[in-house]
Amino acid sequence: MALRTPVADPVRRLTVWFDGECPICTAEIQLIRRLDRAAAIEFVDLTIPGACPSDKAARLSRLHAQPSGGPMVSGAAAFVAMWRVLPNTRLLAAAASNPPALWLLERAYRLFLRMRPGLQAIVRRRLTARGGGAG
C-alpha cells in the first residue's frame, strides 16, 4: 500500500484595490497584510499614479477585489473574498457567504460608506494631534 502525501492547497491569489489616502482603509489593509502570511493578496493603492486599471472614481468609492481568473467583486463581497484566502478567517468567509449574511454585511458596508467622510476626518485629526500624519 502506497503512502499518499496530502496535496497542499495552491496559494489563492487575490488583487485588492484600496484608497491609500483613507486612514481607515489603510489601517484595515495593514491588518489584513499581517494576517496574509502566504502573501496571497496583492494590494493596490489607487492613489499611486497609474495604479488604477479602470474608472478610478468608481474604484475609490468602494473596496474592490478580484480573485485570479474570477469576477470583480466590491463592498462586503470584497471583504469576504479577502477572508476566504486567509487561513484564520476562512470560517468567517464561509458564514458571510450565506446570502442573508452577505446581504446584511452589504447594508452595514453601505452605512459605513455614508459615515466614512466624517470618520476619516476624526481619524485624521487624531493622527495629526499625535503627530502621526494624515495617513
Side-chain angles (χ1 to χ4, degrees):
M1 179 157 112
L3 292 175
R4 290 182 153 207
T5 304
V7 177
D9 287 340
V11 174
R12 295 179 222 166
R13 299 297 308 167
L14 180 73
T15 302
V16 174
W17 291 268
F18 72 100
D19 181 354
E21 292 180 356
C22 169
I24 300 165
C25 304
T26 301
E28 178 74 20
I29 296 305
Q30 287 173 349
L31 171 64
I32 297 296
R33 278 186 172 137
R34 283 193 300 272
L35 296 173
D36 185 17
R37 292 188 183 120
I41 303 172
E42 176 187 4
F43 295 98
V44 179
D45 180 346
L46 290 167
T47 62
I48 296 173
C52 190
S54 63
D55 184 3
K56 187 174 181 176
R59 293 275 174 110
L60 284 170
S61 69
R62 293 169 58 87
L63 183 72
H64 286 77
Q66 184 170 20
S68 180
M72 177 78 65
V73 294
S74 70
F79 281 97
V80 173
M82 284 193 294
W83 299 338
R84 196 172 284 128
V85 300
L86 301 172
N88 294 337
T89 56
R90 286 190 184 137
L91 287 176
L92 177 60
S97 295
N98 177 342
L102 188 56
W103 180 89
L104 187 62
L105 287 171
E106 180 61 27
R107 295 311 169 268
Y109 183 73
R110 288 179 186 187
L111 176 62
F112 162 76
L113 289 177
R114 286 196 297 270
M115 297 170 35
R116 181 178 165 200
L119 293 172
Q120 286 175 325
I122 292 168
V123 171
R124 284 187 177 115
R125 278 195 303 272
R126 288 188 179 180
L127 288 172
T128 301
R130 286 193 223 166

